[in-house]
Amino acid sequence: MSHHIVEFKDVFFRYPDGTEALKGVNFRITHGESVGVVGANGAGKSTLLQHMNGYLMPTSGKVIIGDLAITGKTRREIRKKVGIVFQNPDDQLFMPTVFDDVAFGPLNLGMDEATVRERVRKALGMVNSLDLQDKPPHHLSCGQKSAVAIASVMAMEPDILAMDEPGANLDPRSRRSLIMLLKTFKHSKIIASHDLDLILDVCERCIVIGGGAVVADGPSAEILSNKGFLEENNLELPLSFQVRS
Amino acid sequence: MTFDTLYFDIGRLDRLSYRDTFVHRLDPRAKVIATMLFLFTVISFPKYEVIALTPFFLYPVLLLTVGEIPVRFMIRKIIVVSPFAVFIGIFNPILDTRTAAVIFGVALSAGWISFLSILMKFALTISAALLLIATTSFPGVCHALRRLGFPALFVSQLLFLYRYLFVLMEEAMRVIRAREMRSFGTRNTGIKVSVRLIGILFLRTVDRAERIYYAMLSRGFQGDIPTLKRSHIALSDLLFLAVMIAYLGAFRFFPITEEIGRVALELF
Amino acid sequence: MHMADALLSPAVGTTLWAGTVAVGGYASKKLKERIDDRMIPLMGVLGAFIFAAQMINFTIPGTGSSGHLGGGMILAIILGPQAAFLVMASVLTVQALFFADGGLLALGCNIWNMGFYPCFLVYPLIYKPLIRDSQNSGRIVAASLVSAIAALQLGAFSVVMETLLSGNSELPFGAFVLLMQPIHLAIGVIEGFVTAGVINYVQSARPELLGNIAAVSSLGAGISLRKVMITFVVLAVIMGGALSWFASTHPDGLEWSIEKVTGKGELREAERGIARVLKGIQEKTAFLPDYGFKPEGNDLKKAEAASAWPGIKAGTSVSGIVGAVIVLGMIVLIGMGIRSFRGRDA
């Protein structure tokens, strides 16, 4: 299907305070691909993600989702297609109970009550959190929160899933179950993370951002094993490639 | 009381409200209405009424026991907020020294009676409010308010406040701990430092609000916060309200307590 | 300081609830017309911020006791009156529920005292004219200080009036005012400095922020003095009307307190009531020669007692006390019964 495509065409972005965050970003992600976005702090990963559903608009260049370029008019349409999972689940889970939170998206799409309930059930089931639905988010553990955050996005049944640091703040076990979960998704996935092992596990392709532009784009296994290149970009080898000295 | 205990107290009260007992299962609307009626009835007794107030302790006691709420915790919470009412009330015995009654040879001034009345009203009203929130989840109360006609904007404020209360309190505690660790026992709690901390907290809060707004937009937010109806008035709710009204009405308008006493005295 | 349910009469409680609901409805309607969606999460999270900020307490110079931020003024300055009022109302609602600060009937009073005054009177009539879009930090301090003091004085005076009109307290007006106003002068000074400090801090750290929020709320600046005054006058008339209606239908509440405030009571009416009550008590105590209210000895004492307790209606008779003990005993038994029943269940 052609509409699960994400394409950045020569995207520039400058913040109102003058910071140049993106300086000509180009890439194209096709249907069903799973892509990791890595880069040092301040390289522009989050800014990049915020372009994917039109929260930020390019100063120049184009972002195309499916066959629509993001504009002020198409933004709403595009937000249905691209689900973004945020770094901090506390920002993402803004409703007072898990159920209300997962139902927020479907309700905004104007679905009727039965469909909404079905969507919520399905999304929570996907992340094994059905029993949490009446709880308030502040009674959940970090792992549970991030699972519910994913469910709240999945309930909208997006074509493309974008995630910002999904593994951050998770204990090893929750992180492992998150990785298993991500592997089961058939969506196009874009994952921005410092957790290079997670990227290596989940994504076959990897884009390295440095100084607001794409500095490398290729198979994860190849890029993430190139020690010299990674260190140049303030990154390091994934732990699984490191030999203990 | 330090704010640390305050924080844990809210958490505890909040957790209690998610229990599953008969009282917890009642529709929040029924409980909100019942609580307001109860408060109004208690407050409507005149200044020197003491005896007729006693039957009203039945309601909090029932909620406490059926709702399985820890008694000591509630009593402690009530005592913590008592200073203002006690402080104002204590002037009554001082200023109103007319002898109102002589009981077993001890003269009782009118001021003491009205002070006692204030204390009883205080215990009743505060426990009713606390028990409402201990037996009804806060989101439940909010939905009840919405459906009782409170403005949507106000109710969504309450929901956001509740959601981020715990998140921000934790953030504040981190800031406070950092201050304590770096003040090396000098209790660096001057206004200047505190103001700065509040300022930092404010900036973080505004940034957080921005991220939340982004999250909301990402999920199709268009200015309204939609929620599904979660509860329906059941027969038990109507029954609860009916019993409540009968109970309040009976003890408000008929001197039942006194009658009981009179009958008892006649018997013995 | 929070007004408490226990000190309140139904008339005063209802009147202030009515006023608060009216202002709240007006504020939400106004906001809904022109609000930027961005404000919705911001307002909610700022409500939580006020709580969190209250956790950061500080030592008040020279006293050793500790204080914390109230919040009304700072919200009004940041969000503008309508939004600030709603946020303050939600903060006080959560306080009433989770901390039992004040109680639910007194919530109307408390929102009025701590929300209406800073947002709708002090902010447009004092803060705005003093600050006049200046970003001078000295000016911010001065304006915040005056505003916070004014808001707290109004709030404290309202607590006095609400308590006295309710008639449950014996405190004379003068003493009460002398008690409350100076305390709140001190609290107001603190509140003013903290408010100014935070505003100035934000101004220096992120100068664009305050302007942005003000632009988004867009109401703060646009509100006209005349409109505020008209609203206030209308509300005052409504409240006055409601109060006098209650006064005529609930004499035991309001007249009592007016007697207290003005000092000239009309006791004749009351005495007639008491005489009747006394007679009743006499009859009741007749077959109980050893107990209670039958004053030991002669009619003279009885007469003394009669004049000594005007206005005290029954409710303290022996059978009343016996009844109360029985009722309380039964309540305790019921409670313990349910407990042990539950205990066996579990």
Side-chain angles (χ1 to χ4, degrees), chain A residues 11-32:
Chain A
V11 172
F12 282 80
F13 181 76
R14 194 187 312 115
Y15 279 102
D17 66 359
T19 317
E20 297 256 10
L22 301 180
K23 302 172 198 161
V25 173
N26 283 293
F27 62 81
R28 180 184 160 92
I29 293 167
T30 52
H31 177 65

Side-chain angles (χ1 to χ4, degrees), chain C residues 194-217:
Chain C
V194 176
T195 301
V198 175
I199 299 289
N200 272 327
Y201 174 79
V202 175
Q203 195 79 262
S204 65
R206 299 262 295 274
E208 80 289 353
L209 209 63
L210 292 176
N212 277 355
I213 297 174
V216 165
S217 72

